[in-house]
Amino acid sequence: MKASTLRADIARTLFQVLEQGHSLRELMPALQAKHKEQDRAWLQEMLYGVLRQLPILQYWLRQLLNKPLKSNQKVIEHLILLGFYQLAFSRVSQHAAVAETVGACQELRCPGLKGLVNACLRNFIRQEMQDKQPDDAQIRSGLPKWLFKKLQQAYPDKLDDLSQAMNSRAPIWLRVNQARVNQSEFCQALDEQGIQYRVPDDKQPALILSKGYDLTQLPGYQQGWFAAQDGAAQQAATLLAVQSKDRVLDACAAPGGKTCHLLELQADIECLALDSDATRLQRVEENLQRLGHHAQVICGDAADPSSWWDGKPFDRILLDAPCSATGVIRRHPDIKWLRKGTDIPPLVELQRRILAAVWSMLKPGGTLLYATCSILPDENREQVKQFLANHPDAVLSPLHAQDSTDNPGWQILPGEGQMDGFYYARLIKS
C-alpha cells in the first residue's frame, strides 16, 4: 500500500478520535487489518506519537496556519499535525515526510489543499519550528488543561517527572502462568527463539519484553504459558491473598486478567467473574480457556446485586472499579483527549455506589480490595477515606508503612518500577 495512503488513514483516525470522540480501542482492529503486517507498527507509532505530543504540535500549527480549516477540510489539519510529528520526532526523512504527507491530500479528497500542506511543512523546516518551545508549562507537559491542573494540585513536586512518564512508551509485561509452566522454563523457551526480555526486581513471576513482539507468536501462547498484564495490575491477586476454598467475586472483571491470576494463585477457589459489558465478557471466557482456568462468568451490574446475586456472601472481593484510566495514558494516549474534567464527579459517584453495593455482599471478616487504574486522589485516597468514614464496619488493612486512615492505600504512579499508574486499598469487614 502506498505511503500516502498510510498517512491518509492516520489522519482520518486522528480526526475520528479528536473530533468525533471515538477510541483507538474501537478503531484500531479495522485499521490494522487494512494494512500489511510490516506497516502496522509504524502506523501505531505515528498515531500514538501525535496523540502524545498533541499540545506542542497544535502550538506549532497555530503559528503556521493562518486560519482553522472547516467542515470536510478539517481532516487536513490532522494530516499537517502528522507531518509535524514526522519532522520533529521521527526518523522519517524530511523529503519523505513532506512528499508523502502532501500526497495524502489526494487520498483525503482535498487535492486543492496540497499547496497549503506543502507550505506548512516547508515553513516548519525553514523556521526550525521543532526548536521553538512554548513558555506555557501545560503545553510542554503534553497533557490537556484539566488534567494538568489536577496533577499540579495533587503532585506539585512530581509534575515534570509524571508528565514525562505519561508521555513515554509503556513496556509490555508478561505474567507467567505458573499453573502451566515455571518461569525458568518459559525464559529458556524465549532464549531459544532470541526473544529479548528483562526480569523485574520484585521476584514476581513476570517478565518485561525489551521491544515489541507479536505475542501470539511467542512460545507457549496457545498453551497458555503467559498473559500480557502490566506489573501494577499483577499486584491485585497477590494483595487480595485468596485462600483455599474461598468464595471470591471479581467485580468489573473484564477482560479477565485478574480473574485468571487469582485462579493461578489458588486453583480451588469458587470464583465469580462479573461485568456489565457482555461483549467484553467474551474476552474473559477466551482468557480463561486459553490459560486453563474455570470461573463462573456472569453479565450483571455490580451496583445492583439484586439483579444477579444468589445471596451467598463472599470471602473476598476484588473491585477494579470503573475510573478515569489516567494511570494508563502512556499505554492508551487517546484517553487524554477523550476524557474530560467533567467526567470525574460522575465516575466518583459510580465508584461510591458500586463500593457500597459489593461491601454488602462481603462476609464479616472478609477482605475487599479496591483498585483503580487512576492517579487522581478523588477516585482513590479521597474515595476510600469517605467510605471508611461512612462504614464503621470497615477497617483499613495497610499495604505499606504509610498506609493509614488519613492517607489510605497504595498509589503507584506511572513509571514507578516500570509499572502503570494504579491504586489499591485493602479493607476488612469487622
Side-chain angles (χ1 to χ4, degrees), residues 16-30:
Q16 290 173 298
V17 171
L18 298 171
E19 306 293 338
Q20 298 177 332
H22 295 286
S23 73
L24 286 181
R25 179 179 287 172
E26 62 179 287
L27 297 174
M28 286 300 282

Side-chain angles (χ1 to χ4, degrees), residues 68 79 82 101 141 177 198 218 224 265-266 279 291 309 372 379:
L79 180 64
L82 171 61
T101 304
S141 76
N177 179 7
R198 286 167 288 131
L218 294 185
L265 295 181
Q266 198 67 253
T279 302
L291 296 169
W309 184 41
T372 75
E379 301 178 87

Side-chain angles (χ1 to χ4, degrees), residues 326-339:
T326 44
V328 294
I329 279 173
R330 63 182 191 156
R331 202 171 292 282
H332 305 285
D334 53 328
I335 289 170
K336 287 194 291 188
W337 314 113
L338 297 173
R339 184 68 72 201

